[in-house]
């Protein structure tokens, strides 16, 4: 209403209506983004289904293969394992309350000012174990990069790297994976690595939860 009145007085009624509609649409979009980002946390979920949907609509349509809920022997379950021309990524999902501050200081992850050594250590160990298992089956060295999809929370800067792990909301994390290749593999090589990962990492259940 303020936009309608102000723009109407400064220019004309038509311009006021147009600007009021634009402001209302922008306000609705911002509130929808906030609601969507916090929905996973409010429902007590961790975000796998949301990330799975994004991966199916993006990377899987661009030559990447995605394995869901695979067990890493001795290290729990990987939410998603993405195999693509540019590398192999082990994706972990976590949801935090909308006001939770997630940042890095001195190369380390902090959540509301507290380090997350247990979460970081478990995710790093899981990626290393997945790399070793896939390498044994594929009979070639394979690097698996751990990344974490943040659902909700308040990231001071995004994406950012801390403790050797990249943190970002789902769509920004997907863009980061596409824009930061660690390898250059052909479609045949991607398929071969995917088959090796299928054999090395059996279908599993839920991954670790966040820990302070």
């Amino acid at each position: 209403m303020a936009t309608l009145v102000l723009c109407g007085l400064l220019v004309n009624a038509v311009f006021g209506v147009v600007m009021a509609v634009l402001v209302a649409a922008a306000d609705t979009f911002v509130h929808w983004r906030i609601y969507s980002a916090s929905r996973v946390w409010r429902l007590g979920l961790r975000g796998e289904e949301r990330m799975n949907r994004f991966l199916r609509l993006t990377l899987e349509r661009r030559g990447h293969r995605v394995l869901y809920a695979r067990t890493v022997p001795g290290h729990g379950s990987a939410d998603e394992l993405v195999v693509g021309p540019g590398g192999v990524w082990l994706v972990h999902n976590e949801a935090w309350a909308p006001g939770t501050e997630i940042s890095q200081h001195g190369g380390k992850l902090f959540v509301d000012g507290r380090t997350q050594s247990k979460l970081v250590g478990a995710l790093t160990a899981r990626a290393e174990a997945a790399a070793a298992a896939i390498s044994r089956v594929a009979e070639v060295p394979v690097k698996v990069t751990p990344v974490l999809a943040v659902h909700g929370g308040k990231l001071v800067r995004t994406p950012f790297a801390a403790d050797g792990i990249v943190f970002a909301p789902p769509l920004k994390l997907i863009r980061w994976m596409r824009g930061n290749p660690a390898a250059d593999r052909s479609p045949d090589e991607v398929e071969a690595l995917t088959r090796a990962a299928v054999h090395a990492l059996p279908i599993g259940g839920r991954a670790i939860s966040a820990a302070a």
Side-chain angles (χ1 to χ4, degrees):
M1 288 299 297
T3 302
L4 174 62
V5 173
L6 182 61
C7 292
L9 292 174
L10 292 176
V11 185
N12 56 49
V14 174
F15 182 74
V17 171
V18 171
M19 292 304 297
V21 169
L22 291 176
V23 169
D27 183 68
T28 300
F29 176 74
V30 169
H31 282 83
W32 175 82
R33 287 289 300 271
I34 295 172
Y35 176 85
S36 177
S38 65
R39 182 175 181 272
V40 172
W41 170 79
R42 287 186 290 102
L43 292 177
L45 305 176
R46 290 188 50 256
E48 292 96 326
E49 291 186 6
R50 187 168 181 247
M51 189 61 173
N52 291 351
R53 183 169 65 252
F54 287 143
L55 288 171
R56 284 193 293 269
L57 294 173
T58 56
L59 294 184
E60 283 195 309
R61 294 185 176 183
R62 296 176 178 271
H64 293 67
R65 300 293 302 275
V66 184
L67 304 180
Y68 302 94
R70 313 298 296 201
T71 295
V72 180
H75 292 272
S77 173
D79 294 343
E80 297 97 7
L81 186 80
V82 179
V83 183
V88 181
W89 298 272
L90 187 146
V91 182
H92 183 71
N93 297 272
E94 284 296 342
W96 281 282
T100 303
E101 184 176 288
I102 304 158
S103 60
Q104 71 87 19
H105 300 284
K108 290 189 172 296
L109 172 69
F110 286 83
V111 176
D112 276 345
R114 300 174 62 188
T115 59
Q116 300 289 303
S117 56
K118 187 174 180 180
L119 171 64
V120 166
L123 182 53
T124 300
R126 184 177 302 130
E128 291 173 351
I134 297 171
S135 297
R136 283 195 297 270
V137 175
E139 298 183 340
V140 294
V142 178
K143 178 182 178 181
V144 176
T145 302
V147 295
L148 194 147
V150 178
H151 303 265
K154 177 179 150 186
L155 284 83
V156 176
R157 181 171 56 85
T158 180
F160 69 82
D163 293 301
I165 300 169
V166 173
F167 297 79
L171 290 176
K172 287 190 176 182
L173 186 61
I174 289 170
R175 286 197 292 270
W176 182 88
M177 286 190 284
R178 287 182 55 197
N180 292 271
D184 184 14
R185 297 191 176 96
S186 68
D188 288 342
E189 290 173 322
V190 170
E191 289 301 318
L193 279 184
T194 302
R195 289 194 297 270
V198 167
H199 285 88
L201 310 176
I203 295 176
R206 182 171 175 156
I208 62 170
S209 59

